[in-house]
Amino acid sequence: MNEAPRPVAGTTPGTGSGTAPHGTAVETVEHVIRRRISDALGGWYGSLETALPTVAFVATWLLVDDVRTAVYAAAGVLVLLAVFRLLTGGSYRFLASAVFATALAAFFALRSGEAEDAFLPGIMISGAYAVGALASILLRWPLVGFIVGVGDPDFAESPTAWRRDRGLVRVASRLTWVLAALFVLRVAVMLPLYLAGNVALLGVAKIALGWPAYLLAVVVMGFLLATGHTPHTPDASDPSDPTDPSDPAHRDSTPPEVRP
């Protein structure tokens, strides 16, 4: 008697993540990416931790027009976040990222005494991310793929295992285009304002292109993930290999003596 196909690990029949012949549930690439990105980014609170100090700096400067006071406000928010994290537990990874970004912005602003210089590191980082995201797509090592890889329980043993799944690389490339567009938009809007020394509009742009733009990008990526049904094939060959194991010509080239 032939053995019935078994579900992919981590799925159960009838979950809606895709259905193979004979009613067997198949985990899709989109399902894997949604789960792993959520784990890697730390959920909504991890993202909030990295954004609040910047919001405090911008809001305070707009109110009092003083760079040093704005820096103190951002530092105060960081202290409150650290205390809250100490009381509630959890990872300090995202808080550390916020401390680094705030310290960098404060250094630029306090060194020159010009509030607009607090925005220069963010503009430069967005530009670097835009170039990196576009290059990663062209090189077929999409940036989102690394985020997905970090969420893999076996990441430490095989950090580039995600590239063996052609479907995952294709979907990660589409999602990386969304991030690249966000970074390009930030630079295109904020760089002219920085050069013009328009701190008020820089503050508004910083806030608008922070959380709201990020959430819009998440919505777009969520739509792509919700509407896609790319089969998840974790044991597929490296996408840089021009020979596709699923190609009939490739299967026919297999010597008869090793065929099952």
Side-chain angles (χ1 to χ4, degrees):
M1 181 180 295
N2 293 331
E3 182 180 357
R6 294 177 295 177
V8 176
T11 62
T12 56
T15 59
S17 58
T19 304
H22 309 297
T24 303
V26 177
E27 190 173 40
T28 64
V29 166
E30 289 79 7
H31 178 78
V32 172
I33 292 179
R34 284 199 303 269
R35 185 180 68 247
R36 292 186 183 175
I37 286 181
S38 177
D39 293 341
L41 295 182
W44 67 271
Y45 186 75
S47 300
L48 190 62
E49 265 186 338
T50 60
L52 279 179
T54 299
V55 173
F57 176 89
V58 173
T60 303
W61 188 89
L62 290 175
L63 289 173
V64 302
D65 192 15
D66 183 76
V67 173
R68 191 171 297 275
T69 302
V71 170
Y72 289 156
V77 169
L78 285 174
V79 171
L80 292 176
L81 289 173
V83 171
F84 183 78
R85 178 62 75 182
L86 180 64
L87 295 175
T88 60
S91 172
Y92 285 85
R93 178 177 44 167
F94 304 101
L95 184 60
S97 175
V99 169
F100 174 77
T102 303
L104 192 60
F107 171 77
F108 275 75
L110 293 175
R111 186 186 62 171
S112 67
E114 301 293 338
E116 63 264 27
D117 284 340
F119 301 96
L120 183 58
I123 296 172
M124 296 172 63
I125 291 172
S126 291
Y129 272 130
V131 172
L134 293 172
S136 73
I137 295 170
L138 294 176
L139 296 174
R140 304 192 70 181
W141 285 81
L143 185 62
V144 171
F146 291 97
I147 300 175
V148 174
V150 170
D152 188 346
D154 299 323
F155 176 76
E157 291 75 17
S158 184
T160 61
W162 59 271
R163 289 201 76 242
R164 292 199 293 269
D165 189 330
R166 291 174 181 270
L168 194 152
V169 172
R170 287 196 302 271
V171 175
S173 294
R174 297 188 197 113
L175 299 179
T176 303
W177 275 112
V178 178
L179 289 181
L182 173 59
F183 296 135
V184 169
L185 178 63
R186 286 176 176 172
V187 175
V189 172
M190 296 188 67
L191 183 58
L193 294 175
Y194 169 79
L195 295 176
N198 195 328
V199 179
L201 285 182
L202 268 173
V204 173
K206 179 74 172 181
I207 295 175
L209 294 175
W211 261 104
Y214 173 75
L215 291 177
L216 178 60
V218 169
V219 168
V220 173
M221 289 191 288
F223 175 78
L224 294 175
L225 291 174
T227 57
H229 301 284
T230 307
H232 179 41
T233 53
D235 294 326
S237 63
D238 191 302
S240 62
D241 183 356
T243 306
D244 187 347
S246 63
D247 188 347
H250 174 71
R251 290 199 301 269
D252 292 344
S253 66
T254 307
E257 61 271 18
V258 299
R259 291 179 180 172

